[in-house]
Amino acid sequence: MIIETQEDVTQAVLAEMHRTPDPRTAELLELLVRHLHAFVREARLTEKEFQEAIALVNAIGQRTTPSHNEAMLLSGALGVSNLVCLLNNGARGTRPTQANNLGPFYRAGSPPCANGDTIVRSPTPGAALVFHGRVEDADGRPIAGAEVDVWQSSPKGLYENQDPAQAEMNLRGRFVSDADGRFSFRSVRPAGYPVPTDGPTGTLLAAQKRHNMRPAHLHFLIHKPGFKTIASQVYDPQDPHLDTDSQFGVTQALIGNYEEQKDGSYRLEFTFVIEPGEARLPRAPISAKAAA
Ligand SMILES: [Fe+2]
């Protein structure tokens, strides 16, 4: 099609969609083109703004390494990660859910652990924490044999993949729920942390004068054949950034309850409800630890 007007451009691109053999791919591409072109028209995007946008998109890839996933970080900072999560869990967005953002720091292949083991693998100062979890179905029946991957930042606010001072896979471990659906581990109480700002996510936050903190949390990935695999996070109710999470992850259903013990350590109990569905492990956003 020879293009005569600005309206023709959209029609020309949409007209090519009929060549796309996969129906879902065709649907996604058509919606993407419609919304993208509508955005450009409504914003009256200037040529200078377009060039800056191209540079930012390129920088997302350039900033991404085996130990850092900038696109995942940016999708959280734009609220897209949690929107996708909430639309696809909790009976397709109609009920509260323990599902939450996977986040940019999940690594596959964390060490298998027995219930009660510690996930502290190198000296990690901080208040001791014992976590007691339970996995159950919507009727409260225990789910035995669920694989539960756990990961968290150190009390200094760094994941081991960001911090050459921590041992490989420090504060990461993989547990299996027992006959009563329970699993437990020992660790340290995590701190809130700043997300990296040396890429496009930092440019976004600075442009909006937003802080880059995430409220303290623990990450979980719960996998059991016959049930929909969920990523989850349990948040610290005392964190000052609970209602301004820079990744828009905090939901009411995921605020935990740390109980201080007589010896100054903490106990945290939490129940995860999973629903029937596809057990599919997510693609890990990172694969390695930062070099020293
Ligand atoms: Fe995190």
Side-chain angles (χ1 to χ4, degrees):
M1 168 175 178
I2 304 292
I3 290 158
E4 293 186 47
T5 67
Q6 57 92 358
E7 289 90 350
D8 288 352
V9 180
T10 303
Q11 290 314 312
V13 180
L14 290 174
E16 289 301 303
M17 292 299 163
H18 73 274
R19 293 182 208 285
T20 313
D22 180 68
R24 179 62 174 161
T25 302
E27 182 184 13
L28 289 173
L29 285 174
E30 181 176 333
L31 279 167
L32 179 68
V33 168
R34 282 192 192 285
H35 285 265
L36 199 54
H37 285 219
F39 166 79
V40 171
R41 286 197 176 89
E42 187 175 343
R44 300 205 66 83
L45 201 69
T46 67
E47 287 152 316
K48 179 169 177 284
E49 288 163 344
F50 176 60
Q51 288 155 19
E52 287 169 1
I54 292 289
L56 271 173
V57 171
N58 288 338
I60 295 169
Q62 287 156 354
R63 176 64 189 87
T64 295
T65 67
S67 66
H68 178 81
N69 191 318
E70 185 70 19
M72 190 68 112
L73 190 64
L74 187 60
S75 70
L78 288 168
V80 175
S81 303
N82 204 10
L83 177 59
V84 171
C85 173
L86 293 176
L87 282 171
N88 284 282
N89 291 283
R92 299 196 72 80
T94 60
R95 286 206 293 264
T97 175
Q98 274 85 45
N100 203 225
N101 301 353
L102 177 70
F105 298 124
Y106 165 65
R107 284 181 70 185
S110 62
C113 300
N115 276 321
D117 277 358
T118 183
I119 57 171
V120 177
R121 303 179 193 284
S122 56
T124 310
L129 168 70
V130 180
F131 185 91
H132 293 271
R134 187 168 195 257
V135 185
E136 60 183 40
D137 68 13
D139 298 318
R141 288 177 297 216
I143 295 173
E147 196 172 81
V148 184
D149 229 305
V150 176
W151 66 103
Q152 66 169 91
S153 66
S154 73
K156 273 173 36 184
L158 290 171
Y159 287 84
E160 56 86 30
N161 55 286
Q162 302 170 293
D163 183 6
Q166 293 181 49
E168 171 80 0
M169 293 287 179
N170 189 41
L171 306 181
R172 297 178 188 268
R174 198 160 14 120
F175 297 80
V176 177
S177 62
D178 67 15
D180 197 30
R182 297 183 190 279
F183 67 96
S184 64
F185 62 89
R186 288 177 293 128
S187 186
V188 288
R189 183 173 176 166
Y193 61 82
V195 301
T197 53
D198 56 352
T201 305
T203 307
L204 170 77
L205 296 177
Q208 296 186 284
K209 298 209 179 300
R210 285 164 56 187
H211 70 69
N212 65 327
M213 295 301 291
R214 290 222 66 210
H217 56 272
L218 298 153
H219 287 271
F220 302 86
L221 180 67
I222 304 175
H223 180 72
K224 162 89 182 179
F227 293 86
K228 187 171 186 300
T229 302
I230 63 165
S232 187
Q233 301 186 36
V234 176
Y235 295 93
D236 186 331
Q238 289 165 357
D239 193 287
H241 298 109
L242 209 57
D243 61 356
T244 58
D245 179 6
S246 61
Q247 291 276 298
F248 301 104
V250 182
T251 61
Q252 198 64 47
L254 291 173
I255 299 174
N257 179 28
Y258 283 85
E259 297 169 44
E260 189 168 4
Q261 309 296 294
K262 284 198 181 104
D263 63 358
S265 68
Y266 291 90
R267 176 188 171 92
L268 177 56
E269 276 188 42
F270 202 81
T271 298
F272 302 89
V273 179
I274 58 176
E275 45 191 318
E278 185 190 7
R280 188 183 61 81
L281 285 170
R283 182 193 293 237
I286 55 171
S287 58
K289 187 169 166 61

